[in-house]
């Protein structure tokens, strides 16, 4: 998580960059009401919104904003439970890509943002990002997109040098045009890096990246789970198992305390790196400034993650909640959040903005991350996400974990995965 000093820095930047937004929003603010209200915002992790709240409150002095932060899995499970029981949801909830279809399939549980006038803003978003927030019948929009997860590969230059591998980002990118070559580099790394060193942190992240680069993933376009039928899924599984057998995985489950701690310990050399991952690296490995760099991801483009902000009907203040998410997802807000936290905008007009394309970060060895992630976002070919994509990926990740922990052989783990995901259909 981010420090208070970083938040203070972001506040200073936003005070300048958002001045125009705040001024414009005055015409339509809710300052006419003196009623004191509180908007609860349910998130998984720190989205970097705190300084934005302070700006929003300048034109909405009657609004208090409280965040409720849970870990990734619990957040989405809780939201599903709150919708089922019609109790407990926040006014605003964040939903990650892997879970968005689960909620767009039940639009009656959310305020339709098209009724609030959101349709006039459609052209601002990447078309596929906008579509992801629409209900199946396209009649309801349940959320506005925050960020996208065009992929790159982050790596530790000091660990690469120690293993005799090149460290310049162009040369590193040339090492792994394909995932097979990435695994091969990992085998070289393991042979030279020594005991306790690993090429990557979590097999589930590697698997997810490969699958989400495909035209089709774990669902077909009719919302049928096709884990057993899609040869690209099995190919990704087999290659991930190959990397596990080679000792490349640190055997960590993403988003666990152990996974978070490993950033600071420097026990792994690479990680699949959507823009939002840079925040986790920088926040959890503060002593590694200048040691991380950013190369291209094997296998071409793809999108991993990114979120929407949705308004459950349980919320008591939909008008103010809508105004807040409209503000949080504005181009000025998204640009400012990217520069300070790494979450990359879902608004394509920013991809050619010099303030974005020319942006680099000293922490990442001055890598031109603005251009890297702009190019990655432009190249994304969207993939259909089914209603339980998140649960399917979790089941597959658990299967890989059983292999890593020596609880099952790969064939038995795959058989159980197919059985587990069949129960989700």
């Amino acid at each position: 998580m981010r420090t208070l000093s970083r938040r203070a820095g972001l506040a200073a930047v936003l005070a300048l960059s958002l001045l125009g937004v705040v001024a414009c929003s005055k015409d339509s603010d809710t300052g006419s009401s003196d009623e004191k209200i509180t908007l609860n915002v349910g998130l998984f992790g720190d989205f970097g919104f705190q300084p934005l709240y302070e700006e929003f409150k300048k034109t909405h002095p009657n609004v208090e904003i409280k965040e409720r932060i849970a870990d990734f899995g619990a957040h989405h499970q809780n939201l599903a439970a709150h919708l089922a029981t019609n109790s407990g949801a926040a006014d605003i909830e964040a939903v990650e890509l892997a879970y968005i279809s689960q909620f767009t399939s039940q639009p009656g549980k959310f305020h339709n943002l098209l009724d609030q006038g959101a349709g006039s803003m459609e052209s601002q978003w990447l078309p596929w990002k906008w579509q992801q927030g629409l209900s199946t019948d396209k009649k309801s929009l349940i959320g506005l997109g925050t960020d996208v997860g065009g992929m790159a590969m982050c790596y530790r230059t000091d660990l690469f040098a120690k293993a005799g591998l090149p460290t310049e980002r162009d040369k590193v990118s040339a090492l792994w045009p394909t995932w097979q070559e990435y695994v091969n580099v990992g085998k070289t790394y393991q042979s030279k890096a020594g005991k306790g060193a690993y090429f990557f942190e979590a097999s589930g992240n590697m698997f997810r990246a490969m699958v989400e680069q495909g035209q089709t993933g774990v669902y077909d376009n009719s919302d049928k789970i096709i884990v057993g039928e899609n040869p690209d899924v099995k190919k990704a599984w087999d290659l991930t198992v190959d990397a596990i057998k080679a000792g490349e995985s640190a055997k960590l489950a993403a988003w666990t305390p152990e996974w978070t701690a490993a950033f600071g310990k420097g026990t792994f050399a690479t990680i699949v790196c959507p823009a939002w991952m840079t925040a986790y690296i920088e926040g959890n490995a503060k002593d590694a400034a200048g040691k991380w760099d950013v190369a291209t991801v094997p296998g071409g483009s793809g999108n991993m993650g990114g979120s929407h902000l949705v308004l459950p009907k349980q919320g008591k203040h939909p008008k103010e909640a809508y105004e807040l998410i409209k503000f949080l997802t504005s181009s000025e807000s998204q640009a400012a959040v990217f520069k300070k936290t790494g979450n990359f905008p879902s608004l394509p007009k920013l991809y050619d903005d010099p303030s974005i394309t020319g942006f680099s970060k000293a922490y990442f060895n001055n890598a031109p991350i603005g251009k890297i992630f702009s190019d990655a976002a432009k190249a994304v070919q969207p993939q259909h996400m089914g209603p339980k994509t998140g649960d399917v990926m979790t089941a597959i990740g658990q299967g890989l974990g059983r292999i890593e922990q020596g609880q099952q052989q790969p064939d038995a783990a795959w058989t159980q995965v197919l059985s587990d995901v069949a129960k989700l259909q």
Side-chain angles (χ1 to χ4, degrees):
M1 299 303 169
R2 290 161 188 80
T3 65
L4 291 175
S5 61
R6 291 193 63 207
R7 285 179 174 172
L10 178 55
V13 172
L14 291 171
L16 297 173
S17 62
L18 298 176
L19 187 59
V21 177
V22 174
C24 291
S25 64
K26 274 194 169 185
D27 292 339
S28 58
D29 73 17
T30 57
S32 58
S33 172
D34 293 330
E35 179 190 6
K36 298 293 184 183
I37 67 169
T38 298
L39 294 177
N40 292 302
V41 183
L43 304 172
F44 51 93
D46 188 346
F47 276 54
F49 287 160
Q50 287 288 349
L52 296 169
Y53 298 153
E54 297 306 312
E55 293 303 313
F56 181 80
K57 286 157 59 174
K58 289 179 180 177
T59 54
H60 298 72
N62 61 317
V63 177
E64 290 296 323
I65 303 168
K66 293 184 178 179
E67 287 191 345
R68 301 187 333 202
I69 296 179
D71 66 41
F72 181 78
H75 169 80
H76 292 95
Q77 292 166 6
N78 290 341
L79 177 56
H82 293 153
L83 294 178
T85 59
N86 199 33
S87 176
D91 296 279
I92 298 170
E93 297 272 4
V95 177
E96 204 260 1
L97 172 64
Y99 290 90
I100 188 66
S101 293
Q102 176 178 342
F103 298 114
T104 55
S105 65
Q106 41 186 329
K109 299 287 187 180
F110 299 91
H111 290 287
N112 184 355
L113 304 186
L114 297 177
D115 293 339
Q116 306 259 21
S120 63
M121 302 188 296
E122 178 177 354
S123 63
Q124 298 179 26
W125 269 266
L126 285 165
W128 54 269
K129 187 70 177 182
W130 182 267
Q131 291 292 321
Q132 287 171 349
L134 288 170
S135 61
T136 306
D137 62 6
K138 312 300 182 188
K139 294 181 179 179
S140 295
L141 181 74
I142 74 161
L144 295 180
T146 55
D147 61 309
V148 294
M151 287 185 261
M153 183 68 75
C154 292
Y155 66 99
R156 283 278 298 253
T157 57
D158 57 328
L159 301 182
F160 267 46
K162 185 178 178 181
L165 294 170
T167 59
E168 300 89 343
R169 66 183 69 96
D170 290 343
K171 292 182 179 178
V172 171
S173 297
L175 290 174
W176 50 54
T178 68
W179 283 103
Q180 180 63 66
E181 288 165 300
Y182 172 79
V183 173
N184 293 344
V185 174
K187 292 176 180 177
T188 300
Y189 179 83
Q190 293 303 137
S191 70
K192 299 180 179 179
K195 187 177 180 180
Y198 301 97
F199 194 49
F200 60 84
E201 41 41 284
S203 58
N205 277 345
M206 174 185 166
F207 172 84
R208 181 181 175 184
M210 286 189 281
V211 170
E212 293 190 346
Q213 284 180 329
Q215 290 185 337
T216 304
V218 297
Y219 273 89
D220 67 14
N221 290 335
S222 62
D223 281 342
K224 177 187 175 186
I225 296 174
I226 55 170
V227 171
E229 291 84 0
N230 186 348
D232 289 339
V233 174
K234 186 58 163 57
K235 183 179 178 181
W237 168 275
D238 289 341
L239 191 55
T240 305
V241 170
D242 185 19
I244 292 172
K245 289 181 176 178
E248 299 178 28
S249 172
K251 303 178 182 179
L252 299 169
W255 321 119
T256 60
E258 295 79 9
W259 178 81
T260 300
F263 287 93
K265 296 177 181 176
T267 53
F268 62 89
T270 69
I271 184 169
V272 176
C273 203
W276 50 261
M277 187 66 81
T278 63
Y280 283 87
I281 296 172
E282 190 173 357
N284 293 306
K286 296 181 176 62
D287 295 334
K291 296 179 179 178
W292 283 95
D293 208 321
V294 187
T296 56
V297 70
S301 63
N303 182 75
M304 178 188 280
S307 300
H308 287 74
L309 297 176
V310 304
L311 307 184
K313 278 191 175 176
Q314 296 171 35
K316 298 178 181 178
H317 310 289
K319 181 176 181 291
E320 291 82 1
Y322 174 68
E323 290 177 356
L324 178 55
I325 67 169
K326 185 178 176 182
F327 175 74
L328 294 174
T329 58
S330 69
S331 61
E332 292 84 355
S333 294
Q334 292 199 32
V337 168
F338 166 64
K339 292 176 183 178
K340 284 298 178 184
T341 73
N343 291 352
F344 196 73
S346 55
L347 307 178
K349 81 171 190 177
L350 294 173
Y351 301 165
D352 295 314
D353 185 325
S355 72
I356 298 295
T357 58
F359 184 74
S360 62
K361 217 165 198 180
Y363 183 92
F364 290 95
N365 199 23
N366 291 313
I369 60 173
K371 184 178 188 311
I372 289 171
F373 289 115
S374 290
D375 291 345
K378 288 178 181 177
V380 167
Q381 296 297 315
Q383 181 186 100
H384 177 72
M385 296 287 167
K388 294 184 179 179
T389 295
D391 294 330
V392 171
M393 287 296 187
T394 297
I396 296 173
Q398 290 171 341
L400 292 168
R402 291 192 294 273
I403 298 171
E404 290 181 325
Q405 300 307 319
Q407 298 171 351
Q408 280 182 324
Q409 293 298 310
D411 287 346
W414 180 247
T415 298
Q416 183 173 333
V417 164
L418 295 181
S419 175
D420 290 345
V421 300
K423 297 172 185 174
L424 297 171
Q425 183 67 60

